[in-house]
């Protein structure tokens, strides 16, 4: 597995994601799951997981939080963060999540679609004194245990396109699309040309319709 950025930056990344959530939720009083959606919609989650050095280590977590919030609320009045040595459960959640994302190379949007930020924060009481490996292991168990509809089906339905229409527009056999959406066939093992044709019609990236893009 190839990580998006060097292990040299992981401590900076963990601190920044921890500060990002802690400032937005504990200082700016955003509801955790709402802010996680803003993080995704703003594009900064994508830049973070891809290892953009300006996002991972080039600014503080508070500066990053202000950019995320400013994306949705340009006139937001930001409060100063009061620094203490105590770390909140939200801070820990961001710190642990950064480790999990780096180790697994999963996309934030895929993580949050199965395990919400509220649920991750709630894990603090059990895991904050344990080795981080226990958190990563149990996060993987939670992630894998949730049987969700495929990314292909979710995006197709969001676009308002039927399976038949997608087949005609993309040139991909209808039965193949049905088999991918039913998880009978693994889309992650499909030919690159097939996945490209589907993504082009759906107006998304190839990674968006894969179930595990980190292993593609």
């Amino acid at each position: 597995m190839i990580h998006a950025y060097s292990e040299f930056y992981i401590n900076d990344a963990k601190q920044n994601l921890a500060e990002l959530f802690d400032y937005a939720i504990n200082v700016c009083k955003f509801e955790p799951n709402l802010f996680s959606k803003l993080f995704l919609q703003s594009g900064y989650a994508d830049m973070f997981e891809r290892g953009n050095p300006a996002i991972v280590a080039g600014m503080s977590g508070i500066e990053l939080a202000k950019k995320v919030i400013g994306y949705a609320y340009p006139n937001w009045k930001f409060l100063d963060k009061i620094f203490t040595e105590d770390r909140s459960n939200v801070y820990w959640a961001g710190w642990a999540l950064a480790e999990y994302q780096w180790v697994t190379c999963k996309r934030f949007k895929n993580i949050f679609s199965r395990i919400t930020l509220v649920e991750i924060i709630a894990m603090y009481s059990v895991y904050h004194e344990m080795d981080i490996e226990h958190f990563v292991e149990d996060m993987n168990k939670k992630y894998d245990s949730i049987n969700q509809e495929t990314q292909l089906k979710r995006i197709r339905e969001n676009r308002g396109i039927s399976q038949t229409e997608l087949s005609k527009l993309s040139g991909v056999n209808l039965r193949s699309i049905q088999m991918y959406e039913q998880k009978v066939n693994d889309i992650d093992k499909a030919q690159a040309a097939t996945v490209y044709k589907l993504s082009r019609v759906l107006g998304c990236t190839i990674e968006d319709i894969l179930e595990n893009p980190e292993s593609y």
Side-chain angles (χ1 to χ4, degrees):
M1 185 180 299
I2 300 176
H3 299 289
Y5 53 94
S6 167
E7 189 174 6
F8 178 79
Y9 295 105
I10 186 62
N11 286 334
D12 288 333
K14 289 162 72 173
Q15 180 177 327
N16 279 1
L17 203 65
E19 288 182 349
L20 166 78
F21 290 133
D22 188 56
Y23 179 77
I25 295 166
N26 288 330
V27 178
C28 297
K29 303 303 180 182
F30 275 89
E31 193 278 325
N33 290 344
L34 171 59
F35 183 73
S36 66
K37 290 179 181 178
L38 293 181
F39 183 45
L40 296 175
Q41 293 169 357
S42 68
Y44 286 103
D46 182 68
M47 288 187 277
F48 193 105
E49 69 196 23
R50 293 179 183 278
N52 184 315
I55 305 302
V56 171
M59 65 178 70
S60 72
I62 294 176
E63 290 172 325
L64 179 56
K66 290 180 178 180
K67 287 186 174 295
V68 172
I69 295 169
Y71 166 83
Y73 303 99
N75 298 318
W76 188 271
K77 303 297 182 183
F78 294 104
L79 299 175
D80 291 332
K81 162 79 173 179
I82 299 175
F83 290 93
T84 66
E85 292 186 3
D86 295 330
R87 300 303 188 190
S88 70
N89 56 348
V90 175
Y91 185 99
W92 172 86
W95 180 89
L97 178 59
E99 173 81 13
Y100 178 71
Q101 191 280 319
W102 185 82
V103 168
T104 64
C105 297
K106 297 184 188 300
R107 303 194 69 181
F108 284 112
K109 70 176 184 179
N110 292 340
I111 296 171
F112 287 140
S113 72
R114 300 192 183 203
I115 310 168
T116 67
L117 183 55
V118 167
E119 291 174 306
I120 295 172
I121 293 170
M123 296 171 73
Y124 169 84
S125 61
V126 175
Y127 295 95
H128 77 282
E129 292 184 347
M130 292 186 184
D131 191 288
I132 190 65
E133 291 180 1
H134 294 292
F135 171 79
V136 171
E137 181 180 347
D138 283 1
M139 279 284 287
N140 272 332
K141 289 179 181 178
K142 286 178 179 287
Y143 186 94
D144 293 338
S145 69
I146 299 173
N147 186 20
Q148 285 197 323
E149 64 183 20
T150 63
Q151 292 293 97
L152 175 61
K153 181 179 180 181
R154 181 183 62 80
I155 295 173
R156 176 182 62 76
E157 290 184 341
N158 285 343
R159 300 291 192 273
I161 300 175
S162 69
Q163 291 178 332
T164 301
E165 289 172 325
L166 179 57
S167 176
K168 290 180 179 179
L169 292 170
S170 67
V172 176
N173 182 272
L174 174 60
R175 185 57 181 157
S176 294
I177 293 173
Q178 293 171 337
M179 298 286 271
Y180 291 138
E181 291 195 358
Q182 294 168 7
K183 298 186 178 180
V184 175
N185 290 343
D186 187 354
I187 196 170
D188 293 352
K189 296 179 181 178
Q191 294 183 352
T194 298
V195 183
Y196 171 73
K197 290 176 183 177
L198 293 171
S199 67
R200 184 180 60 182
V201 174
L202 294 171
C204 63
T205 68
I206 289 176
E207 289 181 334
D208 286 335
I209 58 177
L210 297 175
E211 295 301 300
N212 296 287
E214 64 274 6
S215 62
Y216 189 68

